């Protein structure tokens, strides 16, 4: 289930759109469990984008910096999830 994005602009646009979706969903989430599910869904989406970016870097279509940017977005989401679980 690899993201069907092609090219760096589409990947980064998809990441930005997913971040906007996450912000909106977090606004609607009431409980800690609901918020955790929002972050888990965002992490899953970002993993797909990251896999797509990695494949395109390997194929020589994208520079490595784009894979790193997507990975950074995923790691930030994972940090937010951990903070939520820790009650911070």
């Amino acid at each position: 289930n690899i993201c069907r994005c092609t090219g760096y602009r589409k990947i980064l646009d998809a990441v930005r759109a997913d971040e906007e979706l996450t912000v909106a969903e977090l606004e609607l989430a009431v409980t800690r469990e609901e918020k955790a599910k929002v972050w888990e869904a965002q992490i899953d989406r970002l993993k797909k984008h990251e896999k797509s970016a990695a494949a395109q870097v390997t194929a020589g279509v994208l520079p490595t910096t784009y894979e790193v940017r997507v990975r950074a977005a995923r790691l930030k989401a994972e940090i937010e999830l951990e903070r939520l679980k820790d009650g911070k």
Side-chain angles (χ1 to χ4, degrees):
N1 235 349
I2 295 178
C3 170
R4 299 291 182 231
C5 307
T6 55
Y8 71 90
R9 185 164 194 99
K10 289 183 181 181
I11 288 175
L12 295 181
D13 286 348
V15 169
R16 284 187 205 106
D18 284 338
E19 288 171 344
E20 291 174 14
L21 176 63
T22 298
V23 168
E25 289 178 337
L26 285 170
E27 289 289 325
L28 294 172
V30 177
T31 66
R32 187 177 295 234
E33 292 77 21
E34 289 173 337
K35 291 178 182 183
K37 286 181 182 180
V38 170
W39 283 117
E40 289 165 354
Q42 170 66 342
I43 292 164
D44 288 344
R45 290 188 298 266
L46 289 170
K47 284 179 179 179
K48 290 176 186 176
H49 296 314
E50 189 176 358
K51 192 171 183 178
S52 178
Q56 291 182 50
V57 166
T58 300
V61 176
L62 290 179
T64 306
T65 53
Y66 293 99
E67 179 184 359
V68 171
R69 289 175 75 182
V70 177
R71 184 179 308 128
R74 177 187 50 83
L75 291 173
K76 287 177 185 178
E78 289 181 354
I79 290 167
E80 289 301 323
L81 176 60
E82 288 304 313
R83 286 182 178 154
L84 178 67
K85 289 179 178 179
D86 290 342
K88 295 180 182 178

